[in-house]
Amino acid sequence: MNKFLLAVHVLAAIVAVGPVTVAASMFPPSARKALAEPGDAQALSTVRVLHRICRLYATVGVAVPVFGFATAKNMGVLGDTWLIVSIALTALAAVVLAALVLPRQTALMEGIEGMEGVAERIGEGVGAGGEGAADAGVSRVGPRDTARLAMFTGLFNLLWATVTILMIVRPGSTTGA
């Protein structure tokens, strides 16, 4: 049973956390491109897809700690320091993702979408003092926001890398490495 639970735990980590780390890392440069080229439908589409991947796989990622706890309980290592530290870092990574990364992705995506609408109205002649002029300030996002998001994404990725190393090395573990 230990081998089954461990296999599911590792597969869940690869399948769920891997796409989040990659998509979240790709989001800031893609958002910068979309901000630089407001009329580029492909850039906006890329940002939307990356955000959707992050949201979906973050939800699926709940399976990782669930199977991790089951594996640790069966192995009798729930009280081991390396596991407690891993659990704390996993919880911190989840908070960073849920409170800092995903909301900022949403705000950037909405800001880019707002710029897209303003660009279309200006292209139609609206916005040069007309009814769309008030919408000119719709987007309050910029390159600084993408840099801040990149920082939080890097922190998220660093936390997961640390957890992965702790899971492999298991310092002080008596269950073998």
Side-chain angles (χ1 to χ4, degrees):
M1 184 58 119
N2 285 348
K3 289 181 182 182
F4 171 75
L5 289 172
L6 183 59
V8 173
H9 172 63
V10 170
L11 285 171
I14 291 168
V15 170
V17 179
V20 173
T21 58
V22 172
S25 295
M26 292 173 65
F27 190 95
S30 297
R32 272 191 293 279
K33 181 177 187 230
L35 285 168
E37 303 169 17
D40 187 350
Q42 181 65 36
L44 178 58
S45 178
T46 299
V47 168
R48 285 179 178 151
V49 167
L50 291 172
H51 182 58
R52 192 174 314 123
I53 289 169
C54 289
R55 280 193 341 254
L56 174 68
Y57 284 96
T59 304
V60 173
V62 171
V64 177
V66 168
F67 284 99
F69 274 112
T71 303
K73 183 177 182 240
N74 276 0
M75 291 175 68
V77 295
L78 276 175
D80 287 8
T81 304
W82 65 270
L83 185 64
I84 293 168
V85 171
S86 294
I87 291 168
L89 292 175
T90 299
L92 183 56
V95 168
V96 168
L97 182 64
L100 300 173
V101 174
L102 293 176
R104 281 175 170 76
Q105 284 184 352
T106 301
L108 275 161
M109 188 176 64
E110 289 172 355
I112 293 165
E113 288 171 342
M115 286 177 58
E116 182 87 7
V118 170
E120 287 173 11
R121 285 190 294 278
I122 290 172
E124 295 169 0
V126 179
E131 68 181 67
D135 292 338
V138 166
S139 176
R140 300 250 191 258
V141 296
R144 286 186 93 168
D145 298 300
T146 63
R148 202 169 290 122
L149 174 60
M151 177 188 67
F152 291 128
T153 300
L155 176 61
F156 170 76
N157 291 343
L158 181 63
L159 288 166
W160 271 116
T162 305
V163 169
T164 302
I165 291 167
L166 284 171
M167 291 289 163
I168 293 168
V169 175
R170 299 184 304 180
S173 173
T174 58
T175 59

